[in-house]
Amino acid sequence: MRIHVVSDVHGRADALAGAADGADALICLGDLILFIDYHDHGQGIFADLFGEDNADRFIGLRTEKRFDEAREFSRGLWASLEGDARPHIERAVNRQYAELFAAMPAPAYLTYGNVDVPRLWDAHLRDGHHVLDGQTTEIGGLRFGFVGGGLRTEYRTPYELDEEAYAAKVEAVGEVDVLCCHIPPAVPELLYDTVARRFERGSEAVLEAIHRTQPKYVLFGHVHQPLASRIRIGRTECVNVGHFRARGVPYVLTV
């Protein structure tokens, strides 16, 4: 059985439409929407609402790790919109989700990324889209577990969890053949982004599960330009499936 796996789609509906070509099923590890594009500051919801110049300023502050200043700058921009900020954000997010889920092939098995808004997915799902988070399913005779979202960071993205809540989902999945997460296990070479020049957050709970249960594969995304995209821990192959927005092609898993 041939399974295609994508992560960090970030608005690439054009490529997503063909991501399952030649495959029996598609797995999507989240981060569907594009809120801010660090490579093209004119793209994404933030630039759509406030313009590229303001996106330049905001991204610059965050890149310099001046997070308090970035939040203050952002608050001023949101306050300039008519009424509460939430309806503006949700309309923009829903527009992206409508396009992305219309392009999403079926069957597809999905979990959330840290920039996703889980409560907005239901309105856009189609037949054959299966959302799993802290749950398991069988694909091609193997047991797959799914753990969505990320851990708390200074970036305060929409679906960040406390370590205890995230670990509870890992525990609920239990022993599987393939563990599918948005974020990597907490291994430094898997967490370091060579372009952003920073460590992203990884999960100690996932790393512990690897040592304890030794799944055949652990698949993840989140780190767009990792120092290492693949390592082995015992019998487990840990694989970053790639930054789909940049590459436009899926990772191929044959089971």
Side-chain angles (χ1 to χ4, degrees), residues 36 41-42 46-47 50-60 73:
I36 298 172
H41 299 179
F46 193 92
F50 303 120
E52 187 171 351
D53 288 346
N54 284 320
D56 284 340
R57 173 67 173 158
F58 184 64
I59 290 169
F73 178 65

Side-chain angles (χ1 to χ4, degrees), residues 3-243:
I3 300 170
H4 288 181
V5 190
V6 301
S7 185
D8 301 272
V9 176
H10 293 304
R12 280 296 304 273
D14 59 329
L16 185 61
D21 290 354
D24 298 291
L26 177 73
I27 289 175
C28 179
L29 304 180
D31 273 11
L32 292 178
I33 63 170
L34 180 65
F35 190 76
I36 298 172
D37 192 329
Y38 281 78
H39 298 284
D40 182 349
H41 299 179
Q43 299 295 314
I45 290 171
F46 193 92
D48 288 346
L49 290 172
F50 303 120
E52 187 171 351
D53 288 346
N54 284 320
D56 284 340
R57 173 67 173 158
F58 184 64
I59 290 169
L61 290 170
R62 292 179 72 170
T63 301
E64 295 167 10
K65 301 188 186 302
R66 294 158 63 185
F67 296 112
D68 290 340
E69 292 176 65
R71 281 190 283 271
E72 186 63 27
F73 178 65
S74 176
R75 275 195 291 268
L77 293 174
W78 291 113
S80 72
L81 297 176
E82 182 180 347
D84 184 65
R86 176 171 290 184
H88 294 278
I89 298 171
E90 291 194 358
R91 280 194 295 270
V93 171
N94 273 315
R95 282 194 296 270
Q96 287 196 15
Y97 278 155
E99 182 180 9
L100 288 158
F101 280 103
M104 183 80 66
Y109 301 86
L110 306 97
T111 199
Y112 310 111
N114 61 293
V115 302
D116 285 311
V117 186
R119 62 186 176 79
L120 299 183
W121 277 31
D122 284 350
H124 303 286
L125 295 171
R126 297 185 295 113
D127 288 346
H129 292 166
H130 310 282
V131 180
L132 301 107
D133 189 13
Q135 298 162 292
T136 63
T137 192
E138 185 175 300
I139 309 173
L142 296 180
R143 189 171 181 82
F144 283 69
F146 292 80
V147 179
L151 294 169
R152 303 285 183 199
T153 69
E154 306 97 325
Y155 299 100
R156 301 183 183 179
T157 51
Y159 193 40
E160 293 183 351
L161 303 167
D162 295 330
E163 291 187 21
E164 295 80 7
Y166 192 91
K169 293 196 295 184
V170 177
E171 182 67 24
V173 164
E175 294 191 21
V176 293
D177 298 298
V178 184
L179 179 57
C180 299
C181 310
H182 178 68
I183 63 173
V187 177
E189 55 264 48
L190 298 177
L191 302 180
Y192 188 72
D193 190 307
T194 59
V195 174
R197 291 186 294 181
R198 66 169 184 253
F199 286 96
E200 303 289 354
R201 282 207 71 183
S203 171
E204 292 286 353
V206 170
L207 182 59
E208 290 168 8
I210 292 170
H211 286 298
R212 186 175 69 254
T213 67
Q214 289 282 279
K216 187 173 183 180
Y217 294 101
V218 174
L219 307 177
F220 50 87
H222 188 57
V223 182
H224 292 178
Q225 299 92 13
L227 180 63
S229 60
R230 186 180 193 120
I231 66 167
R232 178 179 285 274
I233 301 173
R235 66 179 291 272
T236 301
E237 284 287 336
C238 301
V239 181
N240 185 319
V241 301
H243 181 202

